[in-house]
Amino acid sequence: MENLIKKFPEGFLWGGATAANQCEGAYNEGGKGLSTADILTSGSRTTPRRITPVLEEGTYYPSHEAIDFYHRYKEDIKLFAEMGFKVFRMSIAWTRIFPNGDDAEPNEEGLKFYDNVFAELKKYNIEPLVTISHYEAPYNLTKKYNGWADRKVIDFYVKYCETIFKRYKDVVKYWLTFNEINALTMPFGTFGAGAMMPPEGNRELTNVSLNNDQIRFQALHHQFVASAKAVKLGHEINKDFKIGCMIAYMCTYPLTCNPEDVLLAQQKDNLNNFLCSDVQVRGAYPNYAKRYFKENNIDIIMEENDEKVLKEGRVDFYAFSYYSSSCVSAKHVNNKTGGNIFSGIKNPYLKESEWGWQIDPKGLRWALNNIYNRYQIPIMVVENGLGAVDTVEEDGSINDDYRIEYLREHIKEMKEAIADGVDLIGYTPWGCIDLVSGTTGEMEKRYGFIYVDKDNEGKGTLKRIPKKSFYWYKKVIETNGEEL
Ligand code: BG6
């Protein structure tokens, strides 16, 4: 057996991650259509973002300008290169390619924009890792079809994939079909992931209480079929493509050793974390899902070929986001934590971020082992990081030691997981440049190594300033994770 050592492997993919709707801006330039993300207002820790079916005059929409990556990508990529990035995770805005989603022809200007971005990355030998759909879809598809609730959307998505696979087949190797696809196992995913419009009176992004399991799981099935078709097609277009799933891995501990809590934690792990990857990695619905569907009166409508399609479209690697962990209890407990798509019960052993997300580096090692034990395929951590308020000092510096500390501890645990035998191939911390927060729409919930001068109301010069963590991460990459 191979000797397992506590070191990142040669060629480890160090980098950073973003998403189009949170950084590009230029929401109506270059022929781009309106996306679901463009109708989300800003919010805060206490005020949820609103979904507005019609753009409101005088309301601030953070995605419309975001950090203006659309016009500043050269400057930003240069800074990524200075840190030594080997990989850059970004998403393509579907609405730049097919403004309405159901258009007959793609929008050349949108395709050209990504030609330019990929050429710029190539200049610095940075490998793109492209999310095909990151919490946005053409809004027209929501209006006409109620998004992923309608099976027809599969064909629009596959056509979009075919277009970008063919266009970028020689410049992009790594792809992710859907960001955090498992969001649709929870009501939160209704609009953000499923592009389905909740009924009036129920249009707060993080509070969507529409608990229609039937519609959500049917929409998820459509995404599974779409993802599998895309994987198969991608491999036909370029056999060297590596196409992955992307899961929001919510590390869930039992609050006590009461077997009821332990069992509940396992059930949550299955249903909310593993159901999606079991389908995408293994190519079929797991038995526990069938039981869940039966007991909850969910009847997934499948077409004859669907099972075959799922089998044929298995992903090449497993990618996930990891920010925090939480607990579950079979009893009712009020003490809730925050979290990206799921909030559980507070863990008395952990501290939390300013936004109430619990900080748990060891949970990352646990998650990596848990995932690898199940699938034995390469893994990438494609989101991780600390959302925090940063202060610009009088001398212009930003001393984000708290962020360094967070990342350092998580990197240490990744190293431990590698020594445990996990085949970890890459790490792209989230929001490598400050960008709009997904859940709250704020700018001041910052994750970046690079500061962007813009506030929650959209005011600021958009100037980029490297933070202390910028220089620290550069060293981490330079030493392949040896100097932390
Ligand atoms: C993930 C999303 O769930 O969490 C990102 O994929 C998001 O889009 C990230 O930005 C962090 O969440 P937030 O709300 O702090 O931006």
Side-chain angles (χ1 to χ4, degrees), residues 161-430:
C161 289
E162 186 178 1
T163 308
I164 57 175
F165 285 162
K166 287 191 170 154
R167 177 82 168 212
Y168 308 123
K169 71 177 176 3
D170 300 321
V171 285
V172 179
K173 176 176 168 187
Y174 293 99
W175 304 87
L176 300 170
T177 52
F178 288 94
N179 182 61
E180 298 187 336
I181 190 167
N182 56 323
L184 262 176
T185 64
M186 283 160 283
F188 167 77
T190 306
F191 181 75
M196 298 178 285
M197 183 58 80
E200 218 179 322
N202 205 346
R203 293 186 179 146
E204 291 179 344
L205 182 68
T206 39
N207 277 340
V208 173
S209 57
L210 168 82
N211 211 350
N212 192 330
D213 280 2
Q214 173 64 40
I215 296 181
R216 266 190 300 108
F217 280 96
Q218 186 64 47
L220 181 61
H221 178 69
H222 296 151
Q223 291 196 346
F224 287 152
V225 173
S227 171
K229 286 190 167 184
V231 171
K232 187 167 179 233
L233 182 70
H235 289 146
E236 282 161 13
I237 292 172
N238 183 343
K239 63 174 179 17
D240 295 329
F241 275 180
K242 298 285 176 216
I243 311 175
C245 60
M246 196 307 201
I247 307 291
Y249 191 86
M250 294 160 292
C251 190
T252 310
Y253 303 129
L255 185 64
T256 70
C257 51
N258 181 336
E260 290 203 18
D261 286 1
V262 177
L263 191 63
L264 186 63
Q266 186 180 52
Q267 285 169 338
K268 287 244 165 229
D269 200 25
N270 276 343
L271 184 70
N272 300 122
N273 290 324
F274 281 131
L275 190 160
C276 294
S277 47
D278 280 354
V279 175
Q280 293 184 290
V281 176
R282 293 173 165 165
Y285 278 93
N287 289 339
Y288 61 80
K290 292 178 189 159
R291 175 172 181 177
Y292 180 82
F293 293 159
K294 198 163 176 215
E295 289 179 352
N296 290 277
N297 298 318
I298 298 166
D299 181 19
I300 306 288
I301 300 158
M302 293 209 196
E303 281 191 2
E304 215 185 300
N305 245 343
D306 284 5
E307 284 184 348
K308 184 167 171 269
V309 169
L310 295 180
K311 256 280 142 351
E312 288 173 353
R314 280 172 289 172
V315 293
D316 303 306
F317 68 100
Y318 177 106
F320 72 109
S321 60
Y322 177 85
Y323 292 91
S324 57
S325 68
S326 64
C327 301
V328 288
S329 164
K331 292 209 189 89
H332 181 78
V333 181
N334 252 335
N335 203 6
K336 286 281 171 94
T337 68
N340 47 343
I341 64 173
F342 170 76
S343 58
I345 299 163
K346 279 192 185 172
N347 183 331
Y349 299 98
L350 300 176
K351 296 208 178 79
E352 57 183 33
S353 78
E354 291 162 89
W355 272 262
W357 296 21
Q358 295 191 135
I359 301 171
D360 182 12
K362 287 208 168 16
L364 178 56
R365 178 177 175 187
W366 189 89
L368 282 163
N369 273 282
N370 198 28
I371 296 160
Y372 193 68
N373 288 346
R374 196 164 182 125
Y375 302 127
Q376 287 97 33
I377 60 171
I379 300 181
M380 273 198 218
V381 176
V382 295
E383 284 187 35
N384 173 237
L386 179 72
V389 175
D390 292 330
T391 315
V392 185
E393 306 295 340
E394 266 175 32
D395 64 0
S397 64
I398 297 140
N399 299 310
D400 55 341
D401 293 293
Y402 35 88
R403 184 167 296 110
I404 295 175
E405 168 76 12
Y406 177 101
L407 295 169
R408 179 192 290 126
E409 293 311 309
H410 284 79
I411 294 173
K412 277 187 192 161
E413 296 302 329
M414 292 194 308
K415 226 190 230 186
E416 292 291 344
I418 289 171
D420 292 333
V422 173
D423 185 10
L424 180 64
I425 60 168
Y427 179 55
T428 57
W430 176 249

Side-chain angles (χ1 to χ4, degrees), residues 19 22 89 134-135 179-180 246 248 321 323 340-341 357 383 430 435-440 445 447:
Q22 292 169 263
R89 177 177 174 224
H134 190 123
Y135 283 164
N179 182 61
E180 298 187 336
M246 196 307 201
S321 60
Y323 292 91
N340 47 343
I341 64 173
W357 296 21
E383 284 187 35
W430 176 249
L435 39 65
V436 174
S437 156
T439 49
T440 69
K445 188 180 188 192
Y447 287 87

Side-chain angles (χ1 to χ4, degrees), residues 52-64:
T52 60
V54 176
L55 288 181
E56 298 167 356
E57 194 77 38
T59 295
Y60 173 57
Y61 292 93
S63 76
H64 292 195

